[in-house]
Amino acid sequence: MSYKPIRMDLVEKIIEYHIKGTPKKKIARLLHVSKNTVKNYIKRYECASEEVDETSRLYSDSKQLEDQREGDLDDRFPRIVEELGRVGVTRFLLWEEYKVQMPDGYSYSRFCHRLREYKARTNTTSKIEHKAAYRLTVDYAGKKLKWVDKRTGEVHYCEVLVCTLPYSGYTFACAVNSQKQEDFIQAINNCLLYIGGSPRVMLSDNLKSYVSKPDRYEPSFTKLCMQFSMHYGIELEATRVAKPQDKGHVERHVAIVYNQIYAPLRDCIFHSLEELNQAVLKQLKVLNTKKYQGTDYSREQKFINYE
């Protein structure tokens, strides 16, 4: 069955995400193409890689070389699995180091396949709960802040979006007019400016401004959020429906924001959203520079040192 070719820049993006180990479903979601299209181009890429490997093997004793590569990689696996448990270490980075030491070694796709087989045999996992600068968790606070119009005396109640980096606990909060898509994206943009960069992944619950169709395995995200994802290169994730523990870290920080921001500002009167957010930023500085109990470092220090 024939198919319509896609732009070369999209093909390059598919291969780039695949090399980084991104699942096919997520690649399709990030690039707005079908899953079958992703599978097709990855298959063609891997076939081309295998053809190159095969051509190289024609000029040497293929059996001897294969035995040598297999034994060498098996000896490396215990250290590779251990290294994967360290902050910032990826399979691609370890493969690059492996290729420097073993130029005739396996291709990246074969390397990952062998690693999966090894971990299945040894029942080994390398999962880390939090990696530095990897995931940003976001959530709206249940309680609102407010400001008062000087001219009319009208009280405006504001939603407050709380964002936190789980590794350091570095926290951002922003008051916005509503939970609509435009306000949600504006608050996230403000957060990225505050932390000075973008994480690999953003995790939120199933907000209407974020998720258009909830699903346990493959949720659909709003068009505006997909554009945001493409622009910053951030992968979008959503918690399972009615499973707040999936973002327990930011849930805890919402409570911290109540104590460290809401409480100190409870008797203050603000006359604009901008004035309110300036006060929130001042309290965030206090929160992020305050040392963790029983330690000699703060959220900000840990963030600067590692993220």
Side-chain angles (χ1 to χ4, degrees):
M1 180 177 178
S2 62
Y3 64 93
K4 184 179 179 180
I6 62 174
R7 301 195 315 268
M8 183 54 65
D9 61 323
L10 287 178
V11 175
E12 292 173 353
K13 274 289 184 182
I14 289 173
I15 301 306
E16 178 184 337
Y17 279 124
H18 174 64
I19 290 175
K20 291 179 180 178
T22 306
K24 296 182 181 65
K25 289 183 180 179
K26 291 184 179 179
I27 296 175
R29 186 168 69 240
L30 286 170
L31 300 181
H32 309 281
V33 297
S34 72
K35 191 166 56 178
N36 286 336
T37 297
V38 172
K39 288 181 178 178
N40 180 276
Y41 282 100
I42 288 176
K43 183 178 179 181
R44 294 170 67 181
Y45 164 75
E46 290 181 338
C47 286
S49 299
E50 291 298 329
E51 288 175 2
V52 171
D53 289 344
E54 183 64 25
T55 301
S56 299
R57 286 195 292 270
L58 290 175
Y59 296 93
S60 64
D61 187 332
S62 60
K63 181 65 169 65
Q64 182 180 357
L65 178 60
E66 179 63 22
D67 289 345
Q68 180 185 350
R69 292 196 303 177
E70 185 174 344
D72 176 80
L73 193 55
D74 283 343
D75 291 340
R76 295 173 186 268
F77 277 143
R79 188 192 67 85
I80 288 173
V81 172
E82 181 180 353
E83 288 294 302
L84 280 172
R86 300 178 63 180
V87 174
V89 178
T90 64
R91 290 177 298 174
F92 188 70
L93 173 63
L94 293 174
W95 173 75
E96 287 183 316
E97 295 175 351
Y98 159 70
K99 287 291 284 185
V100 170
Q101 298 173 9
M102 190 72 174
D104 292 330
Y106 290 108
S107 66
Y108 179 68
S109 60
R110 184 64 178 167
F111 174 87
C112 293
H113 177 72
R114 294 285 319 282
L115 178 58
R116 286 193 296 270
E117 289 182 335
Y118 172 80
K119 290 167 69 175
R121 291 198 310 268
T122 59
N123 195 27
T124 303
T125 63
S126 58
K127 181 180 178 181
I128 291 182
E129 187 176 356
H130 301 307
K131 289 185 178 181
Y134 180 75
R135 179 176 279 106
L136 178 73
T137 55
V138 306
D139 192 22
Y140 277 109
K143 300 175 183 178
K144 300 182 180 183
L145 290 176
K146 63 183 179 181
W147 62 274
V148 181
D149 191 310
K150 264 186 180 180
R151 295 181 298 104
T152 64
E154 181 182 359
V155 178
H156 296 265
Y157 288 91
C158 308
E159 303 285 351
V160 177
L161 187 70
V162 178
C163 309
T164 182
L165 292 164
Y167 180 80
S168 64
Y170 198 61
T171 300
F172 172 79
C174 180
V176 290
N177 289 319
S178 71
Q179 292 193 18
K180 292 181 179 178
Q181 289 188 55
E182 295 79 5
D183 289 325
F184 176 73
I185 293 298
Q186 181 60 53
I188 297 297
N189 279 326
N190 291 342
C191 175
L192 298 186
L193 289 172
Y194 185 80
I195 65 178
S198 59
R200 291 279 303 277
V201 176
M202 185 171 77
L203 173 69
S204 176
D205 57 13
N206 291 268
L207 300 169
K208 290 183 179 179
S209 55
Y210 184 63
V211 175
S212 58
K213 184 181 178 182
D215 184 86
R216 180 182 178 89
Y217 301 104
E218 192 175 358
S220 299
F221 299 93
T222 62
K223 290 183 178 179
L224 189 57
C225 286
M226 289 301 302
Q227 292 171 0
F228 165 86
S229 168
M230 289 285 291
H231 178 74
Y232 287 107
I234 298 176
E235 192 174 309
L236 304 182
E237 288 184 352
T239 61
R240 294 169 294 172
V241 177
K243 296 291 183 181
Q245 65 268 27
D246 287 355
K247 56 177 177 60
H249 193 272
V250 74
E251 293 271 348
R252 291 193 298 274
H253 275 73
V254 167
I256 293 172
V257 164
Y258 288 154
N259 294 331
Q260 302 294 323
I261 296 179
Y262 280 53
L265 301 180
R266 65 188 184 281
D267 294 327
C268 299
I269 299 176
F270 305 99
H271 298 294
S272 69
L273 185 62
E274 292 74 19
E275 186 180 338
L276 170 59
N277 275 319
Q278 285 300 315
V280 169
L281 285 174
K282 290 180 180 179
Q283 292 304 127
L284 280 172
K285 184 66 176 177
V286 175
L287 168 62
N288 285 320
T289 55
K290 182 179 181 180
K291 287 183 171 57
Y292 279 110
Q293 187 174 2
T295 72
D296 59 353
Y297 61 88
S298 65
R299 290 173 172 82
E300 184 175 82
Q301 288 172 319
K302 193 172 182 181
F303 169 76
I304 292 172
N305 290 338
Y306 299 102
E307 297 190 299

